[in-house]
Amino acid sequence: MVQGAPPEYYPQPVCVTCKYNENDCLLNRGIPCLGPITADGCGSVCPNHGVPCFGCWGPAEGANLTSEFYLLKEKGFDVDAIKKRMANYSGSKLHTFFEQLKKESK
Ligand code: SF4
Ligand code: SF4
């Protein structure tokens, strides 16, 4: 930035590049991946090598955390495992969502 080259902005999620790279989706192999809610820019380097995205680039624009939660749940992942996996995204909104979910399941 000092040299007048601001970082590039990638609004789309990692899944977009992952699909361009013709990877088989890890979710279909029973591996929880945060590609749908993570900002692109890394070239989907982890899924390219069979490793799930854990969200190091931060949330994609408009990332829908609750949809990701239900997607992972639908794929059969354990709720506690999902919460751990999504810990990087544990802002107050997500915390409130998990608390509400706990109340509903009682
Ligand atoms: S492997 Fe991950 S990044 Fe690739 S399409 Fe599936 S969920 Fe998205
Ligand atoms: S964990 Fe980071 S480097 Fe790996 S796919 Fe996700 S955003 Fe890219």
Side-chain angles (χ1 to χ4, degrees), residues 17-26 43-44 46-50:
T17 303
C18 191
K19 290 292 105 191
Y20 277 127
N21 290 335
E22 300 183 355
N23 294 325
D24 283 336
C25 183
L26 296 170
S44 73
C46 298
N48 293 352
H49 295 91

Side-chain angles (χ1 to χ4, degrees), residues 32 72 77-87:
L72 294 176
F77 298 110
D78 173 72
V79 170
D80 284 336
I82 299 171
K83 282 163 86 171
K84 270 188 202 153
R85 173 62 54 147
M86 293 178 74

Side-chain angles (χ1 to χ4, degrees), residues 14 33-35 38-47 51-58:
V14 173
C33 183
L34 297 185
T38 302
D40 201 357
C42 65
S44 73
V45 64
C46 298
V51 177
C53 173
F54 63 89
C56 81
W57 276 62

Side-chain angles (χ1 to χ4, degrees), residues 6-7 10 12 15 17 20 24 26 32 35 43-44 50 61 67 73 77 83-84 87 100-102 104:
Y10 298 93
Q12 74 275 12
C15 289
T17 303
Y20 277 127
D24 283 336
L26 296 170
S44 73
E61 191 173 286
S67 284
K73 197 161 173 268
F77 298 110
K83 282 163 86 171
K84 270 188 202 153
Q100 197 180 333
L101 206 67
K102 210 184 331 178
E104 284 170 11

Side-chain angles (χ1 to χ4, degrees), residues 59-78:
E61 191 173 286
N64 190 331
L65 304 182
T66 52
S67 284
E68 173 74 1
F69 172 81
Y70 284 116
L71 172 68
L72 294 176
K73 197 161 173 268
E74 197 184 289
K75 293 281 180 189
F77 298 110
D78 173 72

